[in-house]
Amino acid sequence: MSTAPRLTALDALHRSLGATMTDFAGWDMPLRYASERDEHNAVRTRAGLFDLSHMGEITLTGPEAVKVLDYALVGNISTVGVGRARYTHICQEDGGILDDLIVYRLGETEFMVVANASNAQVVLDAITERAAGFDAEVRDDRDAYALIAVQGPESPGILKSLTDADLDGLKYYAGLPGTVAGVPALIARTGYTGEDGFELFVSPEHAVALWQALTEAGAGVGLVPAGLSCRDTLRLEAGMPLYGHELTTSLTPFDAGLGRVVKFEKEGDFVGRAALEAAAEKAATNPPRKLVGLIAEGRRVPRAGFPVVADGQVVGEVTSGAPSPTLGKPIAMAYVDAAHAAPGTSGVGVDIRGTHEPYEVVALPFYKRQK
């Protein structure tokens, strides 16, 4: 039996805009509205408007909510100040990554965990199980929020025209409650595109009004609606990992080059600690593979799963690949044997349907915005 995909509060609006829709993690989501290249370039140079309502919000409250998160996740959530956010991972006992998350501290004893759509139920179940015995409540708030993001260099100006909130004082990886176009919102500034931008958590019944207000406010500076396709090319250029591609249960944060998110110095045990200590040691002395960037010398586009080759041998695997509108060339992220992972390593290629296409090994990210 097939289940119908879930619809966001903005579904009818996307269709009225002529969006090409696609099933993504059980949700019907806009893939693109017109040209994905134009949407990508708009975010890089002006601004794009995204519906991210498929993301999974989980709220924790109570005197020991922070203790739950310090035990359940690999990060040190105790050190997150009220109004700040932190990127972290939730891992299995064997150190494999269940998901990458953003945790917002909304108050002394209130937190919001934002999980990827594909893993929201898994994360909810894991945190609920790990909260047993603690004085804290875990609440599934996926239906309580719509999430709209405005991203790109014009986004601060667009948002300032609609809110009295102190956007200048809102740091990267922070959030504050405010009102946007008369709509109560949690205004966050985490970004995933490589550009400045804001994420607005609102009640679903306010989503359409907020989208329309942002569209009107951004009309004069070239704001366009943007879909999942350009979201993927933007995050790829920014060297940001995507769960199911660069991050999986078969990899630890150390395998993914994200060992910095694991905080062994925090008090008490946490799920996966012993396995991650072993993974950290291995990564420091004998890393099996490293996550690198690859830039094509030709025009053929690598895709996830394609082998990376050198001297006729398979030395790695592509995890994400796409044409880069900003660089004008195909790019990829790949896990590559340590011996071939240094930027500038010669003789590396990607096997694209039997042909070894030459690629340049580069450090990530491919793109960094001008500050």
Side-chain angles (χ1 to χ4, degrees), residues 202-290:
V202 300
S203 183
E205 68 261 26
H206 295 141
V208 170
L210 180 57
W211 180 283
Q212 290 172 336
L214 288 162
T215 299
E216 289 169 21
V221 291
L223 172 81
V224 301
L228 287 172
S229 188
C230 88
R231 185 181 175 210
D232 192 49
T233 52
L234 289 159
R235 71 91 196 165
L236 178 55
E237 288 183 352
M240 292 187 177
L242 180 65
Y243 196 87
H245 290 254
E246 289 72 39
L247 308 175
T248 69
T249 52
S250 63
L251 297 168
T252 73
F254 294 95
D255 296 323
L258 291 167
R260 65 184 179 277
V261 307
V262 181
K263 303 301 183 186
F264 294 120
E265 71 275 15
K266 64 179 172 175
E267 284 184 27
D269 195 17
F270 62 90
V271 177
R273 180 191 271 274
L276 290 167
E277 284 172 343
E281 194 172 327
K282 184 180 178 185
T285 54
N286 185 27
R289 285 185 167 178
K290 290 187 175 180

Side-chain angles (χ1 to χ4, degrees), residues 147-224:
L147 179 55
I148 296 173
V150 56
Q151 302 280 309
E154 296 287 354
S155 58
I158 293 168
L159 203 55
K160 278 179 184 177
S161 72
L162 296 173
T163 184
D164 292 333
D166 178 17
L167 299 186
D168 291 334
L170 185 64
K171 296 185 172 73
Y172 186 51
Y173 266 77
L176 84 167
T179 302
V180 181
V183 171
L186 172 66
I187 306 167
R189 196 174 202 165
T190 60
Y192 48 86
T193 60
E195 302 299 334
D196 193 7
F198 302 87
E199 300 80 45
L200 307 170
F201 295 86
V202 300
S203 183
E205 68 261 26
H206 295 141
V208 170
L210 180 57
W211 180 283
Q212 290 172 336
L214 288 162
T215 299
E216 289 169 21
V221 291
L223 172 81
V224 301

